[in-house]
Structures are given as C-alpha cells and as structure tokens.
Amino acid sequence: MFAAGGVSSPLGRALLLVGIIGSLFGAIASISSARSRDQAVARLIPRFAILIFAAAVGAFATMEYAMITRDFSMAYVQKVGSTATPALYNFAAVWSALEGSILMWVLILAGYTLAVCFWLRKKMDDVLANWAMGVMFIVSTFFFLLSFGPANPFAKGAPGVFDGPGPNPLLQNHILVMFHPPLLYLGYVGVTVPFAFAIGALVTGRVGEGWLLATRRWTLFAWGFLTFGIILGSWWSYEVLGWSGVWAWDPVENASLLPWITATAYIHSVLVQERRGMLRVWNLSLLVSTFSLTILGTFLTRSGVLNSVHAFSESAIGPWLLVFFGIIVIVSIGLIGWRGDRLHAPGSIDSVVSREGAFLINNVLFAVFAFVVLLGTVFPLVIEALQSRNIVVGAPFFDQLVAPIGIALLTLMAIAPVLPWRKASAELLSTRLFWPAWCGVGALGISIVVGATGFMPLLTFALGGFASGSALRQVVLATRRQGLRGLVGRTNGGMIVHVGVILIAVALAASNSFTHSQELFLKTGTPAYFSGHSFELVKIVEEKTDRAISVKALISIDGGQAYAPAITKFTKVGMNIGTPSVKTGIRGDIYLTLEPPVKQDSGEAHIKVFIKPLLVWLWIGGFLMALGTLLAAFPGRRRKPTDATSALIGSNDE
Amino acid sequence: MSASNKLKNKYSWIVMGAVAIALLIFGGLRDSGPLTQQDRIDAITMRLACPTCQGESVYVSRASAAEAIRAEVARQVGSGLRTDDETIAYIEQRFGGQVLLVPRSSGVDSLVWALPIAALIAGVAALGIAFRKWRTTDDGAASAEDSALVDAALASKDLTGSGS
C-alpha cells in the first residue's frame, strides 16, 4: 500500500497530459485533412483516437487503482476513500464526487470518439467526417483540460492521512450507484456525437444530405441511455432517500431532464427531415441545444452556482464550463446564420392534421416543457443576481406547469400514431381512432370501478388507455403483416417506447394522487392496521460493521414475510441514514421507513407507512422504454439515409 | 365506406364521447374518501420549503430544520383548529423567511408563472405563422432557380439514349 503510494498521482497526470496533446493533435489532423484533403493526414486520425482512448482508460484505471489500494497520499482518495468501504462501493467511489465524475466523462467521451472513428473508418476521405472527428477531438481536448486543470482528481493530499470518510453514505447504500451514473453519462456524453455531425454539416454546407440522419442511431442510443439513466436515478431515489418519492425537481435532476427533453423532440422531428427534407434549421438547433444543455446543466449543478451565486468565484470549474457553453452557443448560432441560405428547405407542410403536423405540435410542447424546466431551475439565480433576494422554485411549481403539458402530450400520443403523412381526412381518422378511443373509455371505466377519483388522474388514465390503443394498433397491424419483424424498426420500436411512457405517466398519476400514509407506533406482538394491511413488529436487530451501526426493525406485513426498514449510523461521517424497505406489488407498493429514535431492547418501533398505488409500473415502463429503444435501433427494411432519395429501399442492403 | 356505415360510426363516436364525459364527471366529482392525518401533514409539508436546503420541500428533506417544521405542522393538524392554508400562513408567520416552495404571483416573481404561458403562446403563434406561410408560398410551381437546375441537369444528359 505504501509502496504504491505516490505513483498514481504523477502517472494519472501524465496520462491526462497525453490525452490533452492527443486530442489537440487529433483535432489539428482532422481539420487540416478536411481543408487540404491530404489522405496521409487523414490516416493519422484513428491513431489519435486510439491514443486518447488509451490515455483515458489509463487515467481512469490509475484512479481506480489508487482507490482500491487506498492511496491516501492523494487528495481525492482522502475525500471519498475509506478503509472501511466495501469493495463494490469503493469501486464506485471514484465517481462519487466532482473530480472523479469529470474523469468518467473524459473516459466515456474518449470511448465515443474512438467508436465514431471506427464507424467512419472507411469514410475518412469525406470532408464532413473529418470535421465531425475534429469537433469530437475539440470537445475531448476541453474535457481533458478540465480534468487536468480545475477538476484535477490526481492532486496530492495533505501528508499524514491514513484514512478517510468514504463516499457520501447515501452513495454506499444501494447497488444502483454502480449503474445509474455511468448509464446517465453514456447518454449525456453520447449527444456529443450528433452535435459533432451537426457542426460538420454546417461547416461543409452539406446540410441537406443524409449524414444527420445516418447519425440518428447514435442519437437514439444516447437518448436510450439518458432515459434509462434517469429512470435508474429515480429508482435509487425511491429505494434510498426515504421520502417515498421518485422525482423531487431538484436542479441536478432537472439538469439531466433538460437534454432529454430536447433530444426527445429531435428524434421525433428528424423524421420530418428524413421524409420531407424540411425543418433543417430547427433540427440542427435542437441538437445544438441538447449538447449545450448538457454543458449548462453540468455548470449549474457542479460549479456550486446554484447553492449560492456568491460561491461562484470559489469554484474553479464553473467559469470553464460557462465559457465553453458560450463558445458552443455563439459558434453554432453563427454557423446556422452563415449557412442560412442553404438551410432553407423547399416544400411545405399541407395540414396540421398529418404526421408531420403532429411532430411539429410535439416539438412546440417539448420546447415549452424544456423552457419551463430551465426557467424554474435558473429563476432563483436570476432573482438573486438582480435583487439579492432568495426565492425557492420547488416541486409544486413544476408539478402545476408540467401536468397540463403531460396531458397535452398524452393526447398527441393518442392521435399522432394513426396519422398519415401529408394530410388526413376526418373519415380516415374516425376509422383508425375508433378502437383506440374505446380503449381509453375502457381504461376510464376500469379506473372508476377500482375507485379512482379526481379529474386530472382520471383524464390521465383515459388518455393513457387511448394512447396505448393507438400504439398497440400499430404494433398489431405490423406484426400481422410482417410477423416478428413487425416488432423492430423505429416506428414499431417507437410504439413500444410509447407504451413505456404511458405506463410511467399512469404510475406517476396514480402514485402522486392516491398515496396514503400513516405513522404507526408498533409494539412486539401487537399488530397495527392501516389501509387494509396489518403491520407487526417481529423484533429489532442491530448490525455492526467497520463503517456503520445499523438498526433494523423487522416488520411482518399481513402476517407474511418480514420487511426491515433501518436506520444506519455511519460512524466515520457521524451521519444517520434511514433506509426504507419496500414491499412491491402489481397493484401497489407498501413503503416502510423507520423513524428515530429506536432502542434495541424496547420492543417498540415508530414507523411510517406509505401505500403507493401502481408504483411498480413506473419501473416496468422504464424497462419497456429501454426495450423499445433497442427494437427501434434494430434495422428494419429501409433506404439508407446516405443513399440518393430515389434509391429503392433495401436495394443495397448491408 | 357506405353512407349508412358512416352514419353509424358518427353515432358511436357521439355515444363514446357522452360515456367518457359522464364517467369523467362522475369520477371527478365523487368523494375521494377520508384522508388520514398524516396525508394532511404530507400535503402541507409538500408545499413548504425547507429553510436550510436548496429548493427541497419540508416533506422531502431530512434536515433538522425541516423536522422542526414538520413537527409543528403535525401539532397544528393534530389540534384540528386550522385549515391547510391557515396552517401554512401560521408557519410562515412563526418561522418567517421564505417558507413557501413556489414563487409569489406578484412583482418580478410573477414572471416565473407568466413566461411559460408567453412561451406557449409564442410557440403556437410561430406554428400558425409557419403554416400560413406554407399555405401561401407553396403554389407547386417551379421557381426560376428550380428551372435552371433542371435545365442544367437535362443539358448534361443525353436524352436521346435509352436512359436508365
């Protein structure tokens, strides 16, 4: 342990330096080969991509090594390392604070750069491909610099430290910390790829070609990871935080939601460009917004600016991100303005009641949605800057404004999937929407029979039924025609994603509107009753480990299996963390938390019980969204976007 | 589709709409059953801001300042003397400062409510303008630029040959 001490720090910094130089030369090689068309230079590009990936893997592995060997000579290990952290959480501790998470960003970005380079390996003579690689390298340069400079994870720590507090107790409490951040980052960083191609298309002026559409699958993967990462984050919140909720509209959550919203708008509206060649400026703007929102979100949440405007100057990473954000926005707007003439697309959209009309309405709704979330997140900053006054924009604000947008989106999801391109007649709509609409009425009837009340939740259930009817109609018709192939391809996969979204909407409406909770004071041997269930304290057990003392109350629900909500005292941090215990069911969850104080031998426990209807369908919906995304990415039979528009579909299949 | 079929279809839509509206009104207006005391405490604390944490509600927060407010709300609800709104007013007066989780709808703060509505109106208006433009500009006729492109393409091809 001491032999290794001290090696990691210089090694890690050296590797980051290699990454900076490699990215810089990669960018120079890409751009100069784009300008000079020199194939000898173009052949160098993949080498730089391999180099920076190797450097990033090396730096990340060095950090892991330092963490695993508990190299307390390093400041970062002193901050989040501890001799008592179990191996798994210690591994995840690398990304449990700012510097390490930027290092993970670097690793994933270098991975994407190499993957794009491999994807383009036979197209390195294309100017647009060169420019896209150039942008990837420039963004990589920035993040390597960020990690080398202001967010340095390899800084030397104070001497004489032999142990640390370990990661935040909340981050060593549940297995999901292993998966949620990496998946979210795969999505977050993944949007760099379509952004790079958007800039490439603008610089070369080849905005009308299929390149942007060819990168659609990259966007889809990034979007899928972002979706799944956000869902896992909510799951973690539900399983760990103990307030029985999945989403608190806190700035960090909003920062991950914002690029998701604009990316969702993009993957819909890009279909109009593919089909009709229209909306080019709009689609480029959505890609630029998505990428810049990932940077802005990181700035807002990782620079300390949202805790207080006054902490701004103390944070080293803040100005870097803000300047980078500014450059992205200025360069992109400049390029779009410069290419304005070529971006103007011929053609027109004939009717609002058409597939493309529905996509446009979808985009207006998503744009307003993004605006609401952004406004609510930055509004306290604006007020503090203007009037030096603290205000809070919390969950009720977002709930009130997002609920109507959600209802409007559900309505659109009910109607849009049956719309044809160009225009639709009332007769066609009446025929195609007939059974889906009855599904909606059926869902409404069932909700009322099982006891649902309230106008908004009932409307959500009705529209949810209607929209799933429309989505399933498409899948049923497609599978009837094509067998199992009717499940793949973006339209059918997209409909599966829609069903996932509907399940999430229904689960959120049900659990937000119909949650009941009660505090119970339990004594061993005497069951208490709430909401048709019995709760009996079996016993209280105490578990001691190196890092924590955990007190668990074993509570038998309905005389069955015992659930064990706990309070854990992390001795090194001196922090008490409550851990809920959840009995999951198809119809609803029973969510138990243990309330302090608890005495082991008292035979008494004070618990809080939440009954959360239909909550499990939120996670099922999330998995369905991931599955649908995979199916949508699976190639169906269609024209390759880079082929001429007149080429026959499937004429030269790979 | 025959005329009688169309008619039948129309009637079934009307029936469907009537059933849906009736169900919504029935379900929306009926009593949602008793709330537990804890439900009321939850509903109130969801609207209150924890004074020491950024933007979290008292309901969500585990901080001690939030615990104190939660206990006070529980006392008020337990005594049964005040309505939810009165309890919030009482907490605001007793704890002072910013306890509401939403900005007021007066002064500069009202912008946070007004701007989203303005954005929606702007979005819908932009869409309307775009559709109007599409309707008026696209008459289907080729512009001079288009004709020049076609002429150039035709000139470069041997049209007398068999073609592709």
Side-chain angles (χ1 to χ4, degrees), chain A residues 241-245 248-251 278-279 306-308 344-345 347-352 354 356-357 360-361 364-365 368 371-372 375-376 379 383 386-387 389-397 400-401 427 429-431 433-435 437-438 441 444-445 447-455 458-459 462 466 515-519 530 595-596 608-610 612, chain B residues 1 6 8-10 12-13 15-17 19-39 41-42 46-50 53-57 59-62 67 70 74 98-104 106-124 126-127 130-131 133-135 137-138 146:
Chain A
L241 294 183
W243 59 280
S244 91
W249 296 107
D250 93 25
M278 304 178 67
L279 306 183
L306 267 182
N307 294 329
S308 161
H344 181 75
S348 67
I349 293 179
D350 315 82
S351 161
V352 190
S354 65
E356 51 270 56
L360 282 178
I361 297 171
V364 168
L365 290 172
V368 174
F371 180 73
V372 166
L375 181 72
F379 197 71
I383 293 294
L386 291 181
Q387 304 190 330
R389 187 162 59 88
N390 284 312
I391 65 156
V392 187
V393 180
F397 167 80
Q400 275 176 43
L401 290 180
E427 202 174 293
L429 279 185
S430 156
T431 317
L433 286 176
F434 192 70
W435 290 114
W438 273 114
V441 177
L444 181 60
S447 318
I448 286 175
V449 169
V450 300
T453 57
F455 188 67
L458 285 174
L459 196 58
F466 192 172
T515 290
H516 284 293
S517 73
Q518 183 67 286
E519 288 187 311
F530 174 58
E595 303 291 311
K608 205 169 164 187
V609 181
F610 298 83
K612 316 243 2 149
Chain B
M1 200 179 284
K6 222 188 269 179
K8 216 190 295 174
N9 218 340
K10 196 172 162 189
S12 24
W13 275 101
V15 169
M16 188 194 304
V19 170
I21 289 169
L23 285 174
L24 269 178
I25 291 174
F26 169 74
L29 294 182
R30 73 174 165 175
D31 190 20
S32 55
L35 291 176
T36 66
Q37 246 182 39
Q38 191 60 42
D39 289 338
I41 298 170
D42 291 350
M46 275 180 203
R47 293 164 59 189
L48 295 171
C50 155
C53 10
Q54 283 297 314
E56 272 187 1
S57 65
Y59 175 72
V60 171
S61 172
R62 303 288 140 203
E67 296 285 356
R70 203 153 41 224
Q98 173 72 42
V99 294
L100 281 184
L101 203 46
V102 287
R104 291 171 192 291
S106 60
V108 193
D109 294 9
S110 62
L111 278 180
V112 80
W113 298 104
L115 287 177
I117 296 166
L120 179 67
I121 292 170
V124 172
L127 207 57
F131 272 108
K133 211 181 91 194
W134 279 319
R135 200 155 300 161
T137 53
D138 186 58
D146 295 334

Side-chain angles (χ1 to χ4, degrees), chain A residues 63-84:
Chain A
M63 194 71 233
E64 281 293 353
Y65 177 78
M67 195 64 77
I68 290 164
T69 57
R70 310 307 204 268
D71 180 355
F72 286 105
S73 70
M74 283 168 62
Y76 192 69
V77 181
Q78 289 180 8
K79 185 155 88 180
V80 298
S82 154
T83 48

Side-chain angles (χ1 to χ4, degrees), chain A residues 306-560:
Chain A
L306 267 182
N307 294 329
S308 161
V309 175
H310 310 297
F312 185 65
S313 55
E314 293 161 17
S315 157
I317 178 177
W320 284 66
L321 287 165
L322 199 58
V323 168
F324 190 53
F325 172 73
I327 293 172
I328 293 164
V329 172
I330 290 167
V331 168
S332 309
I333 292 178
L335 282 173
I336 291 176
W338 179 49
R339 288 298 185 196
D341 55 330
R342 299 204 192 186
L343 285 170
H344 181 75
S348 67
I349 293 179
D350 315 82
S351 161
V352 190
V353 193
S354 65
R355 186 68 69 86
E356 51 270 56
F359 281 137
L360 282 178
I361 297 171
N362 151 312
N363 274 211
V364 168
L365 290 172
F366 272 105
V368 174
F369 187 6
F371 180 73
V372 166
V373 176
L374 185 63
L375 181 72
T377 312
V378 300
F379 197 71
L381 280 178
V382 176
I383 293 294
E384 194 177 349
L386 291 181
Q387 304 190 330
S388 325
R389 187 162 59 88
N390 284 312
I391 65 156
V392 187
V393 180
F397 167 80
F398 294 101
D399 288 341
Q400 275 176 43
L401 290 180
V402 171
I405 297 174
I407 292 285
L409 283 172
L410 273 178
T411 312
L412 201 57
M413 280 167 76
I415 298 169
V418 308
L419 289 175
W421 293 90
R422 290 278 178 176
K423 59 177 81 166
S425 68
E427 202 174 293
L428 180 93
L429 279 185
S430 156
T431 317
R432 289 189 177 175
L433 286 176
F434 192 70
W435 290 114
W438 273 114
C439 288
V441 177
L444 181 60
I446 293 170
S447 318
I448 286 175
V449 169
V450 300
T453 57
F455 188 67
M456 279 300 258
L458 285 174
L459 196 58
T460 309
F461 299 151
L463 288 170
F466 192 172
S468 6
S470 295
L472 293 174
R473 174 186 172 277
Q474 161 74 30
V475 176
V476 167
L477 289 180
T479 42
R480 215 189 269 168
R481 256 196 326 265
Q482 300 170 280
L484 281 180
R485 278 209 90 129
L487 287 173
V488 301
R490 61 191 163 199
T491 313
N492 305 312
M495 287 305 111
I496 307 234
V497 174
H498 273 198
V499 176
V501 173
I502 294 159
L503 286 182
I504 290 175
V506 166
L508 282 176
S511 63
N512 282 347
S513 311
F514 308 122
T515 290
H516 284 293
S517 73
Q518 183 67 286
E519 288 187 311
L520 296 174
F521 295 86
L522 300 179
K523 281 198 168 94
T524 35
T526 323
Y529 299 89
F530 174 58
S531 192
H533 298 279
S534 76
F535 301 87
E536 189 177 346
L537 180 64
V538 181
K539 62 177 171 183
I540 294 176
V541 291
E542 197 176 275
E543 285 170 9
K544 273 189 191 162
T545 63
D546 283 358
R547 56 174 183 149
I549 304 165
S550 181
V551 183
K552 290 180 178 170
L554 298 183
I555 291 154
S556 162
I557 297 177
D558 298 328

Side-chain angles (χ1 to χ4, degrees), chain A residues 596-617:
Chain A
V598 206
K599 291 202 189 70
Q600 195 186 355
D601 305 317
S602 62
E604 288 176 351
H606 171 196
I607 63 164
K608 205 169 164 187
V609 181
F610 298 83
I611 308 288
K612 316 243 2 149
L614 299 184
L615 200 104
V616 72
W617 295 95

